[in-house]
Amino acid sequence: MTTGAELLDLSPVVPVVVLDDADLAVPLARALLRGGIKVIELTLRTAAAPAAVERIAAEVPEIVLGVGTVTTPEQAELARKAGASFLVTPGSTDRLIDAVLDTGLPFLPGAATVSEALRLAERGITALKFFPAEASGGVDFLKSVGAPLPSLRFCPTGGITVESASRYLALPNVGCVGGSWLTPASALAAGDFDRIEELARAAAQLSR
Ligand code: 3PG
């Protein structure tokens, strides 16, 4: 079983995906794999998301399947049942973190401040999603917390682009970045999986 800390080392970029059509889930996951990206975070932001998770879990077991935008205990359980291998939350309340721990799945809980990060560290959770990264101080924030919070590592997400990703990945307390730029809505709507494969290939080559 992968741990939260190991999730940060799976790939330089975790594609954050919003899918309106569950039929796109399997070809999308396969396009990411062809491009060299072996992990996906499918967000629970659409009605199609639970079915999309089930299909990837059943048909593309080679990809490490995360479910993101988990904001309630019910969603944590729904994601586990649908076949998630890990969970991602945009923020961290005690109730939500208790529910995520109850699933037994590895997870990346969201934090955007030093106090939020410390609260998670008090519970022994040291691999965090820094969200919303750009809006919360970006690279400068992460540089500033490196010395006072040396045991914590982050997956910054939110507003990151292929251009800015390298600046984050160069930081010692960053394991990977998350971003939606690999799976643009326009490419998904057009069924342009070659484009997604190309974007995945470029992201997979970013060095840490
Ligand atoms: C997330 O939920 O992680 C973010 O919405 C992804 O942010 P981005 O769309 O700015 O990459």
Side-chain angles (χ1 to χ4, degrees):
M1 152 89 80
T2 314
T3 65
E6 286 164 354
L7 292 174
L8 296 182
D9 298 320
L10 288 173
S11 168
V13 182
V14 176
V16 177
V17 179
V18 180
L19 267 190
D20 287 313
D21 180 355
D23 286 346
L24 300 177
V26 166
L28 164 64
R30 293 200 173 123
L32 291 171
L33 284 172
R34 282 197 304 277
I37 295 283
K38 57 180 180 182
V39 59
I40 182 171
E41 177 190 330
L42 202 54
T43 62
L44 286 183
R45 293 183 206 170
T46 61
V53 175
E54 282 172 10
R55 291 203 200 169
I56 295 175
E59 295 179 45
V60 198
E62 318 85 279
I63 202 156
V64 183
L65 173 58
V67 171
T69 321
V70 174
T71 58
T72 65
E74 295 72 27
Q75 286 178 327
E77 185 52 19
L78 177 149
R80 186 193 64 77
K81 285 201 184 126
S85 295
F86 69 94
L87 304 178
V88 184
T89 69
S92 302
T93 67
D94 288 337
R95 185 166 167 262
L96 180 59
I97 297 306
D98 287 345
V100 168
L101 284 166
D102 280 349
T103 67
L105 294 173
F107 65 103
L108 295 174
T113 68
V114 171
S115 295
E116 289 166 14
L118 278 177
R119 241 185 129 88
L120 291 160
E122 281 177 356
R123 301 184 69 159
I125 301 161
T126 57
L128 314 180
K129 165 168 168 153
F130 172 44
F131 178 80
E134 283 287 298
S136 306
V139 165
D140 287 341
F141 174 92
L142 290 163
K143 277 187 186 161
S144 303
V145 301
L149 306 176
S151 63
L152 301 187
R153 287 174 77 227
F154 297 88
C155 174
T157 305
I160 299 177
T161 64
V162 66
E163 290 80 24
S164 63
S166 303
R167 291 197 291 279
Y168 284 94
L169 291 168
L171 301 175
N173 57 351
V174 167
C176 60
V177 302
S180 59
W181 81 85
L182 286 71
T183 55
S186 57
L188 287 169
D192 188 353
F193 296 107
D194 289 345
R195 172 84 185 124
I196 290 170
E197 179 183 339
E198 201 178 292
L199 290 164
R201 186 162 290 113
Q205 282 164 5
L206 289 170
S207 59
R208 288 184 269 191

